[in-house]
Amino acid sequence: MSPITLILIALGLGLVGWLAGRAKAWGFQTGDAAERPASRPVYHAWYVALWVVLPVLGFVVVWSVLSPQLVMQAVLASPAAQDLPAMAFERDAFLGEARAVALGQAPGVFNDDAEALIAPFREAIAHYNSVGVMVTVLIALAGGALAFLRLKPQFGARTRVERTVMAVLLVASLVAILTTFGIFASLVFETVRFFGIVSPVDFLFGTKWGPDTTASPDAVDPTRYGAVPLFWGTIFIGAIIAMIVAIPLGLMSAIYLTQYADPRVRTWIKPLLEILAGVPTVVYGYFAALTIAPAIRNAAVSLGIASASTESALAAGIVMGVMIIPFVSSMADDSMAAVPGAMRDGSLAMGATKSETIRKVLFPAALPGIVAGIMLAVSRAIGETMIVVMAASPAANLTANPLEPMSTVTVQIVKLLTGEQSTDHPATLSAFALGFVLFMVTLALNFIALRVVKRFREAYE
Amino acid sequence: MSTAALPDTTPNVGPTRTPAFEKRLAKRYRAERNFRLLGLSAVVFSVAVLVFLLGNMAINGIAGFQRAEMTVSINLPATQISADAAQLDTPEAMLWLKKQNLAEAVQLEAEMQLGKAGAAQLSPDAWRDVAAAIIDDPTLLGRTASFDLPATSAMAAALRGDGPPETRALAQRLADEGKLANNWDWGFLARSDATSPQAVGIWAALKGSMLTMLVTLVLAFPIGVLSALYLEEYAPKNRWTDIIEVSISNLAAVPSIIFGLLGLSVFLWLFPNLRSAPLIGGMTLALMTMPVIVISGRNAIKAVPPSIRDGALAIGASPVQVVFHHVLPLALPGMLTGTIIGMARALGETAPLLLIGMRAFVATPPDGFTSPATVLPMQIFLWSDEIDRGFVERTSAAIIVLLVFLLVMNGLAIYLRNKFEKRW
């Protein structure tokens, strides 16, 4: 039974509990002011409903993870499973096919050997479905009955309901910590396994990248896992080319829109620039790969540079820079707006022109905020995936020529994890190590930037 | 003598406006103009890039909503195909019509009307369009009807002026006879992925996107709103809440591909059977969207004036009642705006879904949260890998659909913000 059905059953029973609790609590009201019940009927109702729904939800979470495994075990224990091939891969394929048919997701099996497994699967699924529904109903009834029997005129239902609400709020806010921990744990776990095969020194300082996905996991050549070309490609595309495009354009747009432009023009142009930030990166990637990259190659070839590639770092970097423009511009906008007007007015009163005021007063005062904004922009650019996957090259290349193909960390992660190799292969694990490095670098950049922004903001308050 | 003793004020002004000064001033004004021009050109460049990008997609995309079709009129009574309404209502209707050699009949008619070379350029699946039309309207079987049937990719390219000269000549001839034309193809919105650009559609991807977004919304919205309420209204100031706040602001800045790695190693490990299902995709995107909702939600709560809380507390409401009866309803429009913006970001996201395996070729629309699916940005990515000319227009058309969705969502967010914006 799908978890959604179980949850719907629980919600239905919860509604019944709610109505029953409220009906009972209505009876507590005597009309005598001295004997007023401690809580209003609706809180009694919620108290019962919570006792029905919350334990069931806990059960459903556990059950949805547990029941497929129980079904699998029951099938493996059945006589039909005795003839299964010993190979884990083949066996899983058969089991998966039979399972899909039993669940009604597929019309038939490809391998005749899987045919025999369908019946045991149907049986086991039906068995555990009924177990699931029964346990759900039992838990709901037990919880509901327990809560219902506790309802009395002087029972503090409201306090308890409110305490539960607070607990739910707290749990919701813990999801963020759980996610952070989940990211960290999954990255570290696989990275440590990878570093057991390839030493961190080879990985971080090696200059040749070319994981052999077909090699046996036991015979790994650590010299093929040097990630320096990837780090260089990432920095070159994301932090150098993209920023050469984004910083001047973003800063000047922000200056023009805040200092010079007519307010009416500003109200139209600003949202227009924000559209640039809202365009999905896959669209930018498509644009870079199909329009910009060939144009750059043709331009380079006509200038006599025959080695120019259609997968050049330049195309990916320029398009990424365009994507970042609104980001830089809004950060610059914010930090210049935070500079007190008196400083600007003082400079203008001394006879400085507007541009002198901006360059010599406003800009230096806003510099920490702008630098922080640029750091955030860099962190976003080096973590950007689709543009580089579509426009940059899969071949790692340690060069400073922007017209040559170059690969980045994110391109390699996608390339290594969308292949068909097993999860234990060092090439697969290396993707997690790359992810770990990316995570740490972007985290450090964000952390420093947020610190700078915070400190800078306080300086003028 | 006395006049000479008077202080003369004019010379003090005059000499400052020396030629050197005038020169400097002119230079400064020139610098001012140049600086201003520089700013203007930055804005103009950015807007021009946007216009070029959108225009490029629009021009290609309009061609993507069309397809090359050949007009064939078929005398259906002569084909001796029989079927009654009840038969045509069953899912096997298509098979039933195929068994009666509908495909051959269509091919025969095409050869008579278009010539042998022309009929060879009819898409091999063209009979399916005829069959679908018959299933829609069984009375067609009793008369001669004219059908616009898809041509092959080669023919579509030839009509555009590409490909070998003989095919181009054939296309030109048929077009002149009015038997071949680029027709508006609404089926693009209703069909699913296929191997030929003439037969593809985006419905499967669109449905997959909707299912995934639904999961994302159902998970991210309550969690985001509840944790925003907790952090803004109740949380004590201690080390734990500091950690929560720091992790939320960090999560908002973590690259999306890292969430894909998390989904791959945690969700797919927990549910190995649900590879490329909207459920897993939605869960992964929900973790990514949640921090955005929390941050915008906290701003919306901050905007509710303290006097509202004090007033409610003063007449005896409990802290939970204050928040759920007063603060939340007032902050909700702001929270919704943030949620829509977060959802728009999630809708355009590709990288995390790429890692959890939503790049499969999916030719049937997903029928639930657990069946294999693809999403709109992923469909764009997959088509962009096809160097086949016909897919360029189709990809742009899919991009137009995606951008229209995003613009509508963002427009809705702006509308809500303007409508519910309150000045206290």
Side-chain angles (χ1 to χ4, degrees):
Chain A
M1 194 70 54
S2 84
I4 294 169
T5 324
L6 295 184
I7 290 173
L8 286 179
I9 293 175
L11 290 180
L13 290 173
L15 182 65
V16 173
W18 194 88
L19 292 171
R22 200 180 60 159
K24 185 174 177 186
W26 270 112
F28 298 155
Q29 274 160 338
T30 54
D32 182 358
E35 280 177 30
R36 215 163 49 176
S39 301
R40 289 178 51 215
V42 69
Y43 284 103
H44 291 279
W46 278 114
Y47 181 73
V48 178
L50 285 174
W51 263 102
V52 173
V53 176
L54 288 183
V56 173
L57 284 185
F59 167 73
V60 169
V61 169
V62 176
W63 185 246
S64 60
V65 177
L66 210 64
S67 66
Q69 272 141 25
L70 288 175
V71 167
M72 199 55 89
Q73 267 170 16
V75 171
L76 288 177
S78 72
Q82 301 305 319
D83 316 328
L84 275 176
M87 280 271 291
F89 181 73
E90 231 177 311
R91 199 174 62 185
D92 287 349
F94 283 3
L95 288 170
E97 273 187 16
R99 205 185 118 86
V101 174
L103 286 172
Q105 289 169 346
V109 289
F110 289 107
N111 295 301
D112 297 333
D113 297 350
E115 190 79 49
L117 289 168
I118 297 176
F121 254 115
R122 282 221 172 97
E123 213 170 287
I125 287 170
H127 175 67
Y128 283 106
N129 271 351
S130 49
V131 169
V133 172
M134 237 142 62
V135 176
T136 302
V137 172
L138 269 181
I139 291 178
L141 287 183
L146 188 72
F148 191 78
L149 292 177
R150 287 176 78 177
L151 299 186
K152 287 189 183 58
Q154 292 314 313
F155 179 68
R158 184 173 111 177
T159 329
R160 278 152 224 259
V161 169
E162 293 195 342
R163 232 181 269 158
T164 315
V165 169
M166 295 295 277
V168 169
L169 292 184
L170 182 62
V171 168
S173 62
L174 289 180
V175 171
I177 293 191
L178 264 180
T179 311
T180 310
F181 178 77
I183 289 176
F184 200 75
S186 58
L187 291 179
V188 166
F189 183 69
E190 308 281 352
T191 305
V192 166
R193 278 172 70 194
F194 174 67
F195 284 157
I197 307 168
V198 176
S199 94
V201 178
D202 285 335
F203 176 70
L204 290 174
F205 301 106
T207 55
K208 223 181 120 238
W209 179 265
D212 187 358
T213 49
T214 52
S216 133
D218 306 318
V220 171
D221 179 6
T223 57
R224 303 185 64 145
Y225 286 91
V228 169
L230 301 183
F231 297 150
W232 166 246
T234 308
I235 291 171
F236 194 62
I237 293 178
I240 298 179
I241 302 179
M243 290 305 134
I244 287 176
V245 175
I247 292 173
L249 285 171
L251 273 184
M252 289 312 292
S253 309
I255 287 173
Y256 185 79
L257 288 179
T258 53
Q259 309 294 329
Y260 289 108
D262 190 286
R264 274 171 308 177
V265 175
R266 186 180 142 85
T267 51
W268 276 101
I269 299 290
K270 211 167 180 232
L272 216 56
L273 284 188
E274 276 162 6
I275 292 180
L276 275 181
V279 172
T281 53
V282 68
V283 177
Y284 279 117
Y286 182 70
F287 184 58
L290 256 87
T291 310
I292 303 298
I296 286 175
R297 196 194 111 86
N298 292 344
V301 168
S302 68
L303 286 174
I305 308 165
S307 70
S309 156
T310 44
E311 293 181 322
S312 64
L314 195 58
I318 287 177
V319 173
M320 200 186 276
V322 169
M323 181 190 86
I324 303 279
I325 289 173
F327 191 73
V328 172
S329 126
S330 74
M331 290 301 282
D333 192 340
D334 286 352
S335 37
M336 282 194 297
V339 177
M343 284 173 76
R344 202 179 67 144
D345 296 345
S347 164
L348 289 174
M350 293 291 287
T353 63
K354 245 182 170 173
S355 66
E356 284 164 350
T357 306
I358 292 165
R359 273 180 295 168
K360 300 203 171 126
V361 177
L362 222 51
F363 187 69
L367 196 61
I370 291 172
V371 170
I374 289 169
M375 285 173 84
L376 288 179
V378 169
S379 126
R380 178 172 280 205
I382 64 176
E384 170 44 46
T385 310
M386 292 323 289
I387 295 179
V388 282
V389 165
M390 292 166 85
S393 152
N397 201 348
L398 194 58
T399 167
N401 180 356
L403 294 171
E404 289 206 16
M406 242 178 253
S407 193
T408 70
V409 169
T410 47
V411 170
Q412 293 302 316
I413 294 176
V414 168
K415 193 180 152 228
L416 291 168
L417 290 180
T418 50
E420 291 294 320
Q421 61 274 56
S422 74
T423 49
D424 294 332
H425 197 280
T428 314
L429 295 178
S430 71
F432 285 89
L434 288 174
F436 186 62
V437 173
L438 179 67
F439 179 66
M440 293 316 278
V441 171
T442 52
L443 213 59
L445 281 172
N446 294 327
F447 191 71
I448 298 169
L450 289 178
R451 269 288 154 92
V452 171
V453 168
K454 219 175 190 175
R455 182 176 269 182
F456 167 71
R457 288 269 157 79
E458 278 159 6
Y460 291 109
E461 270 168 12
Chain B
M1 289 295 272
S2 61
T3 50
L6 275 174
D8 189 0
T9 48
T10 42
N12 286 340
V13 179
T16 53
R17 295 198 75 117
T18 55
F21 172 88
E22 293 290 349
K23 233 174 157 177
R24 262 202 320 275
L25 194 63
K27 203 176 151 197
R28 284 173 64 205
Y29 282 162
R30 209 163 47 239
E32 168 74 23
R33 271 198 307 279
N34 288 342
F35 191 73
R36 194 189 159 122
L37 212 63
L38 213 61
L40 184 63
S41 47
V43 173
V44 168
F45 177 83
S46 308
V47 173
V49 169
L50 181 68
V51 169
F52 180 60
L53 176 80
L54 297 183
N56 198 1
M57 296 301 154
I59 290 167
N60 277 330
I62 284 169
F65 280 112
Q66 299 173 331
R67 70 172 174 179
E69 287 176 342
M70 301 208 237
T71 311
V72 179
S73 72
I74 301 173
N75 181 1
L76 283 165
T79 59
Q80 314 239 316
I81 289 173
S82 72
D84 53 45
Q87 268 168 329
L88 291 176
D89 246 5
T90 59
E92 285 84 35
M94 196 70 103
L95 214 66
W96 169 253
L97 290 169
K98 187 178 162 70
K99 266 196 200 131
Q100 301 190 56
N101 295 334
L102 178 64
E104 286 74 8
V106 170
Q107 197 63 29
L108 209 67
E109 287 278 3
E111 267 175 35
M112 288 189 337
Q113 288 166 35
L114 303 168
K116 222 168 175 82
Q121 294 296 338
L122 202 61
S123 163
D125 278 342
W127 68 272
R128 285 178 178 275
D129 281 27
V130 180
I134 294 173
I135 291 168
D136 265 1
D137 178 13
T139 60
L140 278 178
L141 282 175
R143 56 191 151 95
T144 301
S146 167
F147 295 91
D148 287 335
L149 299 175
T152 57
S153 310
M155 200 60 167
L159 187 60
R160 276 194 304 268
D162 291 329
E166 55 269 32
T167 323
R168 277 213 305 262
L170 176 66
Q172 191 58 47
R173 184 170 61 77
L174 288 174
D176 289 344
E177 290 171 17
K179 287 176 182 160
L180 174 69
N182 267 326
N183 291 337
W184 211 243
D185 178 25
W186 289 116
F188 179 65
L189 295 175
R191 289 189 304 260
S192 297
D193 200 4
T195 44
S196 149
Q198 287 282 80
V200 297
I202 54 166
W203 175 237
L206 210 55
K207 194 172 174 195
S209 266
M210 287 178 198
L211 291 174
T212 309
M213 286 299 108
L214 198 64
V215 176
T216 306
L217 184 67
V218 164
L219 289 176
F221 183 65
I223 295 178
V225 167
L226 292 180
S227 52
L229 282 179
Y230 179 75
L231 290 174
E232 204 53 42
E233 292 287 330
Y234 302 117
K237 198 79 192 130
N238 61 25
R239 187 155 5 119
W240 275 106
T241 51
D242 270 357
I243 294 177
I244 296 177
E245 288 196 18
V246 168
S247 45
I248 286 175
S249 55
N250 275 336
L251 280 184
V254 166
S256 58
I257 192 169
I258 301 286
F259 286 96
L261 288 173
L262 173 74
L264 178 67
S265 57
V266 175
F267 294 151
L268 283 186
W269 171 70
L270 281 178
F271 307 103
N273 293 316
L274 297 184
R275 207 175 167 78
S276 87
L279 185 65
I280 299 291
M283 278 157 74
T284 309
L285 291 180
L287 293 183
M288 214 183 84
T289 315
M290 192 262 304
V292 180
I293 297 179
V294 175
I295 291 170
S296 72
R298 292 186 68 174
N299 289 333
I301 296 170
K302 263 192 203 125
V304 177
S307 58
I308 302 241
R309 297 181 185 84
D310 296 343
L313 282 172
I315 57 166
S318 72
V320 170
Q321 285 173 329
V322 169
V323 167
F324 281 88
H325 295 176
H326 300 274
V327 176
L328 185 59
L330 290 172
L332 212 52
M335 288 174 160
L336 281 181
T337 315
T339 306
I340 295 170
I341 290 169
M343 294 296 290
R345 221 179 92 181
L347 177 62
E349 199 54 71
T350 324
L353 302 180
L354 202 56
L355 292 194
I356 59 164
M358 288 185 88
R359 56 172 292 155
F361 176 84
V362 179
T364 48
D367 51 7
F369 293 106
T370 52
S371 48
T374 190
V375 294
L376 206 41
M378 190 63 68
Q379 189 73 75
I380 292 166
F381 175 65
L382 292 175
W383 283 350
S384 76
D385 264 358
E386 313 273 343
I387 40 172
D388 200 320
R389 270 283 291 155
F391 268 103
V392 174
E393 282 85 15
R394 291 302 201 183
T395 313
S396 300
I399 286 175
I400 289 182
V401 174
L402 179 63
L403 288 179
V404 165
F405 260 87
L406 290 178
L407 280 179
V408 167
M409 282 172 88
N410 284 316
L412 189 68
I414 292 170
Y415 171 77
L416 278 178
R417 183 159 53 201
N418 291 342
K419 183 166 171 155
F420 290 103
E421 196 171 47
K422 280 200 184 108
R423 297 196 183 280
W424 303 93

